[in-house]
Amino acid sequence: QVQLVESGGGSVQAGGSLRLSCVGSSYTVTMAWFRQGPGKEREGVANIVGVGDARYADSVQGRFTISRDDAKNTLYLQMDSLKPEDTAMYYCAASRYRQSQRSLMQSTTYDYWGRGTQVTVSS
């Protein structure tokens, strides 16, 4: 099994920034960030396959950047220009397999999940 541990969440004001980290117990080729706000369904935020094939939800495009450091088995999510709508529990997810582009924003694609880190953005 692969264990994932997120960190970096916190409370910030609108317009601020946070950087989330996810440390895995081993390398996984496909990784992603999901989030779930109060009363909302879990949604894909960003994902990355291999070195640099990244995708973003329209709602975060241009504000968030996903990256990875494979030497450290670590996934990052740099979040800038945060909005109150970004308030959610953020989860790191991973798969040992390469997935199709169409499936990368689907939670069922991923085999491993972290426990989440809370991000709260106030106006």
Side-chain angles (χ1 to χ4, degrees), residues 45-66:
V45 176
N47 54 73
I48 185 166
V49 180
V51 175
D53 292 331
R55 291 174 57 86
Y56 300 90
D58 290 342
S59 59
V60 307
Q61 181 71 46
R63 299 189 298 119
F64 291 10
T65 303
I66 189 170

Side-chain angles (χ1 to χ4, degrees), residues 61-91:
Q61 181 71 46
R63 299 189 298 119
F64 291 10
T65 303
I66 189 170
S67 62
R68 65 194 300 166
D69 184 342
D70 291 337
K72 298 179 179 179
N73 287 335
T74 302
L75 178 74
Y76 302 99
L77 184 68
Q78 178 66 43
M79 304 184 294
D80 298 319
S81 301
L82 284 163
K83 303 176 181 179
E85 305 92 270
D86 296 318
T87 295
M89 183 72 73
Y90 283 71
Y91 298 92

Side-chain angles (χ1 to χ4, degrees), residues 1-8 20-34 42 46 48 66-70 72-76 89-97 107 109-117:
Q1 64 178 2
V2 177
Q3 296 178 334
L4 305 172
V5 180
E6 304 99 331
S7 62
L20 306 183
S21 298
C22 172
V23 180
S25 59
S26 62
Y27 172 80
T28 49
V29 66
T30 302
M31 301 194 75
W33 290 99
F34 285 77
R42 186 169 297 187
I48 185 166
I66 189 170
S67 62
R68 65 194 300 166
D69 184 342
D70 291 337
K72 298 179 179 179
N73 287 335
T74 302
L75 178 74
Y76 302 99
M89 183 72 73
Y90 283 71
Y91 298 92
C92 176
S95 174
R96 291 177 177 173
Y97 310 102
S107 61
T109 294
Y110 300 89
D111 305 306
Y112 307 103
W113 293 84
R115 295 178 181 178
T117 184

